[in-house]
Amino acid sequence: MDATQPTAKTRQVRCPHCGTFTVYSTSNPWRPFCSERCKSIDFGAWAAESYRVQAKPELADFDEIDTLDQQPARDNKPH
């Protein structure tokens, strides 16, 4: 059986990277991806911080920046 062809008994999902249908079960070691390649590409995007969640800055975020600005500068001596 080909992992890209849906059947009535197996759950099929679209690969998050390429969009092809793939079996979503323990028989697919890369689930929900269709292949190791798609899984690796997605992992690389996470590692490169390509995926971001937008959020409006809160007042506490600015307070933290002010606190960091008030700390004394560290010596930049080589170790």
Side-chain angles (χ1 to χ4, degrees):
M1 179 171 95
D2 185 11
T4 61
Q5 294 186 10
T7 64
K9 294 183 181 183
T10 60
R11 181 174 177 196
Q12 299 286 316
V13 296
R14 287 195 180 268
C15 173
H17 179 70
C18 69
T20 60
F21 280 101
T22 187
V23 175
Y24 189 83
S25 73
T26 55
S27 66
N28 178 359
W30 307 290
R31 70 182 177 275
F33 300 95
C34 66
S35 66
E36 185 176 12
R37 178 181 178 273
C38 283
K39 185 175 182 178
S40 296
I41 291 170
D42 186 74
F43 180 73
W46 278 106
E49 298 182 3
S50 296
Y51 298 131
R52 297 177 186 232
V53 177
Q54 289 186 342
K56 293 181 181 178
E58 297 180 10
L59 187 56
D61 296 332
F62 293 110
D63 291 341
E64 184 178 319
I65 291 171
D66 291 340
T67 303
L68 292 174
D69 288 343
Q70 293 172 1
Q71 292 178 353
R74 296 182 180 180
D75 293 335
N76 290 330
K77 295 178 184 176
H79 296 252

